[in-house]
């Protein structure tokens, strides 16, 4: 029998769920980066499944929302709560893309027909911006009216690239009529998907190892913010026994562990060449041949001489 979630729990899940596009992920990461640099002293790695840490953090975030008035009186206001929410979104996304989720390190773009369908509203909105901004310059407005008539991947890629280039080129004219940075990011995300670029390339990560470092940084960051929220909740709800007990019960003791550095030998002096290791000559054990066993020679048995019988005296 499944567990039914309350309306508050559903709201928390909706607020903290993973984002869908690399552009959204990058925006969250950019917003969190100053705080990450400020509070992270040592990047650690998960010590338990990230899904368990996420469940604990979401339960804590629900308590933070429920007792937000009490926490606000103890210097834990909307800004700190927003940082915790963003950290949860980052962690859920990183878990899906880099960690234990189904995608595990490869961003699966949508099929071409879905991307074309998703780009229709974006292209129509951009055309509406251009129709107003260039109402008296039909030759310019006409450039924004291009559509993918063939429905092919090649034409969709070319069209989106051209429309994005035009939107950025005429951004000063289009911004007053509604064009925003978020709208441009949405178009870039569509182009990334239709171009088939993988997630690492989109986020500027050179290899899988860098992706793991980023994921570990996010796990460390979210856990540190969770510890802060727990401490703030215990302090703010000191005179509310039930609330205090709830915050006190939250623990991230098993969430992280320190990374073990690889053991390396002592470095050689800069002016001295590193000593060349010489391997001892391998000595092969002498081969011992099994001793040849000859069958025992059978000697003829010599008959023993008969023992002389004693001579009995003749009767007198």
């Amino acid at each position: 029998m499944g567990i039914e979630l309350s309306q508050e729990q559903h709201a928390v899940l909706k607020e903290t769920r993973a984002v869908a596009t690399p552009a959204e992920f990058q925006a969250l990461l950019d917003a969190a980066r100053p705080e990450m640099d400020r509070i992270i002293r040592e990047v650690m790695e998960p010590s338990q499944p990230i899904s368990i840490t996420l469940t604990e953090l979401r339960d804590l975030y629900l308590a933070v929302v429920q007792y937000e008035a009490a926490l606000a009186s103890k210097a834990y206001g909307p800004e700190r709560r927003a940082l915790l929410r963003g950290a949860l979104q980052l962690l859920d996304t990183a878990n899906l893309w880099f960690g234990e989720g189904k995608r595990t390190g490869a961003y699966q773009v949508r099929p071409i027909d879905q991307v074309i369908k998703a780009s229709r509203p974006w292209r129509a909105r951009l055309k509406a911006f251009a129709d107003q901004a260039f109402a008296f310059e039909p030759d310019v407005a006409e450039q924004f009216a291009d559509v993918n008539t063939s429905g092919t991947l090649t034409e969709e890629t070319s069209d989106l690239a051209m429309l994005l280039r035009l939107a950025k080129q005429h951004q000063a004219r289009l911004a007053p009529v509604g064009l925003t940075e978020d709208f441009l990011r949405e178009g870039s995300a569509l182009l990334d998907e239709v171009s088939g670029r993988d997630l690492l390339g989109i986020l500027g990560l050179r290899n899988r190892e860098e992706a793991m470092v980023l994921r570990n940084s996010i796990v460390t960051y979210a856990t540190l913010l969770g510890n802060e929220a727990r401490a703030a909740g215990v302090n703010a709800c000191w005179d509310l026994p039930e609330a205090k007990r709830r915050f006190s019960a939250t623990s991230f003791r098993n969430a992280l562990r320190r990374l073990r550095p690889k053991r390396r030998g002592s470095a050689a002096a800069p002016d001295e060449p590193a000593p060349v290791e010489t391997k001892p000559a391998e000595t092969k054990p002498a081969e011992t041949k099994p001793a040849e066993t000859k069958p025992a020679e059978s000697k003829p048995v010599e008959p023993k001489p008969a023992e002389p019988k004693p001579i009995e005296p003749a009767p007198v």
Side-chain angles (χ1 to χ4, degrees):
M1 184 175 178
I3 300 174
E4 294 185 3
L5 300 178
S6 66
Q7 290 185 351
E8 289 181 320
Q9 289 172 321
H10 274 296
V12 166
L13 281 175
K14 186 177 180 179
E15 278 189 80
T16 61
R17 68 177 47 164
V19 296
T21 65
E24 292 175 284
F25 181 82
Q26 190 65 57
L28 282 173
L29 189 59
D30 291 343
R33 185 64 71 184
E35 189 66 8
M36 291 176 72
D37 294 340
R38 188 181 75 86
I39 69 175
I40 293 179
R41 298 289 181 269
E42 176 187 4
V43 174
M44 290 181 272
E45 65 181 359
S47 182
Q48 65 183 6
I50 293 179
S51 57
I52 295 177
T53 304
L54 268 170
T55 301
E56 294 171 345
L57 283 167
R58 282 188 169 124
D59 186 62
L60 175 64
Y61 180 73
L62 176 59
V64 166
V65 171
Q66 290 174 336
Y67 298 99
E68 60 180 329
L71 270 74
S73 67
K74 295 295 187 292
Y76 194 92
E79 292 182 0
R80 304 308 299 174
R81 190 167 64 249
L83 285 173
L84 180 60
R85 181 179 63 247
L88 280 166
Q89 289 182 281
L90 284 171
L91 182 56
D92 196 9
T93 310
N95 185 41
L96 284 174
W97 289 349
F98 309 136
E100 304 155 4
K102 293 180 181 179
R103 294 186 243 191
T104 54
Y107 179 65
Q108 301 295 329
V109 296
R110 287 177 287 186
I112 178 59
D113 56 338
Q114 292 184 17
V115 177
I116 293 176
K117 184 178 179 181
S119 73
R120 288 287 177 264
W122 185 87
R123 295 168 73 142
R125 193 75 183 99
L126 179 60
K127 181 180 181 300
F129 294 150
D131 285 345
Q132 180 182 353
F134 301 103
F136 304 108
E137 301 173 59
D139 55 333
V140 179
E142 188 180 355
Q143 298 179 49
F144 290 88
D146 195 10
V147 294
N148 187 346
T149 54
S150 66
T152 61
L153 176 64
T154 303
E155 185 175 350
E156 185 70 17
T157 306
S158 175
D159 288 353
L160 285 173
M162 180 197 67
L163 290 171
L164 271 172
R165 185 171 60 254
L166 286 171
K168 293 176 181 178
Q169 179 183 348
H170 299 287
Q171 188 171 0
R173 295 280 298 276
L174 294 169
V177 297
L179 183 73
T180 62
E181 291 292 339
D182 288 340
F183 186 82
L184 290 176
R185 278 196 292 267
E186 184 182 349
S188 296
L190 289 169
L191 179 59
D192 286 335
E193 288 192 73
V194 79
S195 302
R197 296 176 61 196
D198 65 0
L199 181 69
L200 299 186
I202 293 171
L203 295 176
L205 302 171
R206 291 174 295 181
N207 49 48
R208 173 81 173 164
E209 185 178 352
E210 287 190 0
M212 288 297 98
V213 171
L214 177 58
R215 187 208 62 176
N216 290 344
S217 299
I218 292 171
V219 176
T220 304
Y221 172 63
T223 305
L224 289 174
L225 290 183
N227 283 324
E228 180 201 21
R230 175 192 178 279
V234 171
N235 183 39
C237 302
W238 191 264
D239 297 324
L240 303 172
E242 183 180 349
K244 178 187 174 185
R245 192 181 311 114
R246 182 172 176 184
F247 282 105
S248 299
T250 304
S251 173
F252 301 102
R253 194 173 294 112
N254 300 321
L256 299 172
R257 65 171 173 235
R258 284 184 168 83
L259 290 164
R260 296 179 181 178
K262 296 180 181 179
R263 294 182 179 179
R264 296 180 178 178
S266 57
D271 296 333
E272 297 178 3
V276 180
E277 295 183 359
T278 56
K279 295 184 179 180
E282 296 181 358
T283 55
K284 295 183 179 180
E287 296 182 358
T288 55
K289 295 183 179 180
E292 296 181 359
T293 55
K294 295 182 180 179
E297 296 180 358
S298 57
K299 296 181 180 180
V301 180
E302 297 179 359
K304 294 181 180 180
E307 295 181 359
K309 296 182 178 179
I311 299 173
E312 296 179 358
V316 178

